Amino acid sequence: MASGLRLALLLRGINVGGNNKIPMSDLKSLLAGLGYEDVKTILNSGNAVVTTSDSASKAETRVSQAIASELGLKIEVMARTHKQLGAVIKADPFASIVTNPSYYAVAFLRS
């Protein structure tokens, strides 16, 4: 794996209800073209994980701008670090009663 910061990139409203369609292969190519390494996309969700030297806020801006210029879509991008995602899991108020993690949903807000 490449060295650097590992970020989860969360793209809002991708591939939902036939809107804002971005094939994951195209997203992966776009991210690799930005210089991100070890790019992994998650199903058809519009979410990806990358390794980068960019800060989370810089990655949000770069990816959003690249999608606009290369794909013609205005997409909000949020980036979260491994540490931030770990804190979400650690703060899970239902950990002692929910036995199937596939039923989980987490919403991330800009601020």
Side-chain angles (χ1 to χ4, degrees):
M1 178 189 294
S3 63
L5 181 63
R6 197 78 172 137
L7 291 176
L9 302 174
L10 311 171
L11 282 66
R12 183 165 186 234
I14 297 297
N15 301 332
V16 177
N19 297 309
N20 297 325
K21 288 187 175 187
I22 300 177
M24 292 301 94
S25 58
D26 292 354
L27 177 60
K28 191 172 185 175
S29 294
L30 181 139
L31 295 171
L34 290 172
Y36 296 125
E37 298 178 335
D38 196 26
V39 177
K40 307 279 189 238
T41 56
I42 293 85
L43 302 172
N44 202 34
S45 66
N47 298 326
V49 180
V50 301
T51 300
T52 179
S53 59
D54 287 350
S55 67
S57 62
K58 184 175 181 179
E60 291 170 345
T61 301
R62 288 185 69 214
V63 173
S64 183
Q65 289 175 346
I67 290 171
S69 66
E70 294 183 31
L71 304 176
L73 297 171
K74 184 176 178 177
I75 302 298
E76 183 175 355
V77 177
M78 287 189 282
R80 297 294 184 260
T81 66
H82 183 270
K83 183 177 179 180
Q84 289 170 319
L85 294 176
V88 169
I89 293 167
K90 187 175 181 179
D92 177 8
F94 303 109
S96 65
I97 59 172
V98 176
T99 58
N100 187 341
S102 67
Y103 293 132
Y104 276 65
V106 175
F108 290 95
L109 304 175
R110 171 68 51 211
S111 60

